[in-house]
């Protein structure tokens, strides 16, 4: 058991290392380097550029070093909390990301909870009432949810709310709380704004999960032990929840690792449309203005979020499903 | 005796049918899949011959008709008389006295009947065959905006059709790329196993656990803005299939590993068949159907990916038109709520993705011999 956890942890570190190389490549891809752009920006704003300052900037970012050394310098900086400076904002990246990272975690976490809370009961209902009106209705809704791109769904919701209620549904806070420090009132305000982003981000995942849950449970219900239990006179409710549901839920939890990347993905694009104060819009703006240090750091952070989330879900699975412990525990 | 031979019973036919015939028979029963297939056939025909089916040039600007709503096609005139040839009406322009916005009102006095095979704007089919015949249209001097116009007064119907060519083909090209990568790497991984398998599996696991959209955004933003459209198109396709091949490689590997242990593979081996013959003759036919299903189900992901990127302005850029590029103009909530027809490309995306899902579902059921 412990061996498995350690192995999994080391594995996660390796993935993170590879991911950091990818993120660094993204930073390096556009032509010209960071300091050149910085100088250019200063010149536009009419400031004079000091030769000594340029040299010190170059040294600070290690631009006089070969690529691989530069990479290590960047990683070293990140390990010490220094993500580089954002060109556009003229601030350290870590300062810009801080609260947004927290909110990103909050939004994604709530989305995962929403997805499971909705998908599992509906999946059970659909499987036990196969080919009923409800089953068909959920199937249609599910397929529509899968087929609608997140951003389009968000856009349509915004348009409808604007047209019929005159409301703007973007953001996570009401204007009066946007810059206010954290308080209970601000938290409550956030909870009020959360449903729409969560529904938008969660639909696709929910739709997929309903299909999986329905399929697994249907397979399980056809098995002999269910017939045996029924023949013995076990009540339907006990019969359903004691075995088949528990077995059918397993594959759903084991795929959480695949669901998380898609939720983070969907969250990014939805956040841009709904202008949530999460990492998504910042990443978008950074990419549009070629603010590569900011962009690279955020691609890395979003991946980090996913990878760590997957790791945690693996541990959860280990705890839920004893079979994995025996199989891989060694 | 001779007569008996002719009358092969339905049951016998069932046993004599090949695997593909059986699949086709099962597939036909899946109504949604048939509908999906028909819709896709129509869309792809429209996309292939988009120059012919469009009603006008997509860059032609009708400066007098900016944000003009879709025209209604009438079969009855104001007296309730039925016309066999449908017609559309012209517009009267006015200004809203309060908001000072343009309003278009149907002008019943101007009627433009719709004809088939009408001569209109010149085009070159596939950039080769010059022509000016359009499938439907109105006579010169009339206007025909079936899906309205955009902010520059360009016809949205034609733009949507041209966009479908890009958006639908990007899915296929992307899937073709993933297919090559996926079946090659998955095949190596599954058939030979060992170190190659180990490396390829780790790569796949890595690619699967990174969130695609941020990665795609990062890569797409790095495409230089001065690249010609065709180059950008292929760059985007490569970026999309960069992640897309993983699922397929897994399917191929899993299937190969299980089939490798089957008795018939062993039998072929004992009979002296070569590796190549075993793969092509015995293994490939057993999971080809799964490959097709998997491919069908991965097209929507590609289409959605391209649409999302272009919507954000990171994918294809005007003057190229794709559904995502068209939706990019519909980012502003106020604009969209006043001109809802700007969202029509979104409708096409949804219908296409649904159709692919239904088709894939039907194919999957048909390909599963145990159902």
């Amino acid at each position: 058991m412990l061996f498995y956890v350690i192995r999994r942890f080391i594995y996660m570190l390796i993935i993170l290392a590879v991911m950091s190389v990818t993120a660094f490549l993204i930073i390096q891809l556009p032509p010209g380097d960071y300091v050149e752009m910085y100088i250019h920006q200063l010149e536009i704003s009419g400031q004079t550029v000091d030769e000594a300052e340029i040299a010190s900037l170059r040294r600070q970012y290690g631009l006089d070093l070969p690529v691989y050394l530069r990479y290590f310098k960047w990683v070293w900086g990140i390990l010490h909390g220094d993500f580089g400076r954002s060109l556009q904002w003229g601030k350290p990246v870590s300062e810009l990301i801080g609260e947004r990272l927290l909110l990103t975690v909050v939004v994604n976490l709530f989305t995962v909870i929403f997805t499971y809370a909705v998908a599992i009961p509906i999946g059970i209902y659909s499987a036990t009432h196969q080919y009923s009106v409800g089953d068909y209705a959920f199937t249609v809704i599910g397929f529509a949810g899968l087929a609608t791109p997140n951003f389009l769904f968000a856009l349509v919701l915004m348009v409808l709310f604007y047209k019929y209620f005159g409301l703007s549904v973007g953001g996570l806070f009401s204007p009066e709380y946007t810059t206010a420090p954290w308080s209970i009132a601000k938290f409550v305000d956030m909870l009020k704004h959360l449903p729409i982003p969560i529904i938008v981000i969660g639909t696709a995942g929910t739709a997929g999960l309903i299909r999986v849950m329905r399929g697994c449970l249907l397979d399980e219900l056809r098995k002999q032990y269910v017939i045996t239990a029924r023949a013995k006179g076990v009540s339907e409710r006990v019969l359903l929840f004691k075995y088949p549901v528990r077995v059918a839920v397993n594959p759903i939890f084991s795929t959480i690792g695949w669901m998380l990347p898609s939720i983070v993905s969907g969250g990014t694009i939805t956040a841009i449309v709904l202008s949530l104060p999460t990492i998504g819009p910042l990443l978008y703006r950074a990419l549009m203005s070629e603010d590569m240090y900011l962009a690279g750091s955020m691609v890395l952070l979003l991946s980090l979020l996913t990878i760590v989330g997957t790791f945690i879900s693996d541990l959860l699975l280990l705890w839920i499903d004893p079979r994995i412990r025996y199989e891989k525990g060694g | 005796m001779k007569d008996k031979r002719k009358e092969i019973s339905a049951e016998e036919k069932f046993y004599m049918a090949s695997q593909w015939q059986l699949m086709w028979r099962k597939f036909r029963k899946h109504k949604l899949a048939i509908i999906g297939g028909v819709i896709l056939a129509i869309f792809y025909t429209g996309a292939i011959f988009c120059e012919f089916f469009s009603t006008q040039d997509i860059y032609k600007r009708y400066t007098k008709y900016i944000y003009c709503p879709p025209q209604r096609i009438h079969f009855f005139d104001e007296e309730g008389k039925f016309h066999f040839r449908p017609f559309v009406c012209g517009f009267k322009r006015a200004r809203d006295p309060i908001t000072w916005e343009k309003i278009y009102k149907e002008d019943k006095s101007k009627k433009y009947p719709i004809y088939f095979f009408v001569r209109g704007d010149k085009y070159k089919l596939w950039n080769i065959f010059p022509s000016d015949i359009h499938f439907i249209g109105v006579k010169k001097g009339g206007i025909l905006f079936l899906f309205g116009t955009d902010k520059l007064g360009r016809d949205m119907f034609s733009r949507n059709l041209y966009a479908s060519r890009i958006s639908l083909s990007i899915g296929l090209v992307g899937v073709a790329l993933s297919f090559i990568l996926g079946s090659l790497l998955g095949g190596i991984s599954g058939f030979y196993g060992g170190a190659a398998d180990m490396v390829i599996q780790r790569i796949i696991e890595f690619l699967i656990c990174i969130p695609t959209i941020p990665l795609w955004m990062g890569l797409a933003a790095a495409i230089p803005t001065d690249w010609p459209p065709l180059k950008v198109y292929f760059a985007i396709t490569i970026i999309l299939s960069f992640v897309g091949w993983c699922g397929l490689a897994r399917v191929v590997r899993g299937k190969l590993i299980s089939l490798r242990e089957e008795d018939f593979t062993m039998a072929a081996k004992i009979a002296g068949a070569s590796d190549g013959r075993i793969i092509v003759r015995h293994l490939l036919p057993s999971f080809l159907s799964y490959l097709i299903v998997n491919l069908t189900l991965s097209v929507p992901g590609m289409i959605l990916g391209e649409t999302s990127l272009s919507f954000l302005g990171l994918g294809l850029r005007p003057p190229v038109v794709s559904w995502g590029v068209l939706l990019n103009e519909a980012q502003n909530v106020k604009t969209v709520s006043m001109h809802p027809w700007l969202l029509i490309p979104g409708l096409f995306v949804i219908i296409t993705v649904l159709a692919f899902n239904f088709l894939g579902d039907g194919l999957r059921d048909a390909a599963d011999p145990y159902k």
Side-chain angles (χ1 to χ4, degrees), chain A residues 11 19 155 162 258 265 284, chain B residues 205 210 212-213 250 312 330:
Chain A
Y11 185 49
M19 193 58 232
L155 198 65
Y162 176 79
W258 300 353
S265 261
Y284 177 58
Chain B
E205 275 163 31
I210 42 180
T212 47
I213 292 276
R250 282 200 155 177
L312 292 176

Side-chain angles (χ1 to χ4, degrees), chain B residues 19-29 34 366:
Chain B
Q19 192 195 355
W20 295 100
Q21 279 172 316
L22 285 177
M23 275 168 58
W24 170 241
R25 217 172 285 174
K26 256 195 267 177
F27 178 73
R28 266 189 323 194
K29 280 189 202 148
I34 296 280

Side-chain angles (χ1 to χ4, degrees), chain B residues 35-49:
Chain B
I35 295 172
V38 170
I39 289 175
L40 287 178
I42 294 170
F43 277 15
Y44 273 95
T45 316
I48 292 170
F49 302 103

Side-chain angles (χ1 to χ4, degrees), chain A residues 11 15 18-19 22 26 29-30 143-144 146-149 151-152 155-156 158-159 162-163 211 257-258 261 264-266 268-269 272-273 280 283-284 287-288 290 292 299 302-303 306-307 310, chain B residues 201-202 205-206 208-215 217-219 221-222 250 304 307-309 311-314 327 330-334 336-338 340 343 346-347 349-350 353-354 357-358 361:
Chain A
Y11 185 49
I15 287 188
V18 181
M19 193 58 232
T22 317
I26 289 176
L29 274 176
F143 267 120
L146 270 180
T148 315
F151 69 86
L152 195 66
L155 198 65
V156 169
M158 282 171 84
V159 169
Y162 176 79
K163 204 163 183 178
R211 300 308 295 165
W258 300 353
V264 173
S265 261
T268 308
I269 206 161
I272 295 169
V273 179
L283 171 64
Y284 177 58
L287 286 172
M288 289 312 254
E290 297 211 356
M292 294 324 275
V299 169
L302 283 176
S303 315
T306 323
I307 294 165
T310 313
Chain B
Q201 285 317 299
R202 294 295 90 78
E205 275 163 31
F206 166 66
I208 281 181
C209 71
I210 42 180
T212 47
I213 292 276
L215 182 74
M217 281 168 66
L219 291 174
R250 282 200 155 177
L304 287 179
T307 313
S308 308
L309 284 181
F311 170 74
L312 292 176
L314 293 168
L327 283 171
Q331 270 184 336
N332 189 313
V333 173
K334 274 181 198 164
V336 176
S337 61
M338 279 192 298
L343 284 180
L347 213 60
V349 174
I350 295 175
V353 173
L354 271 180
N357 275 326
F358 286 145
D361 245 30

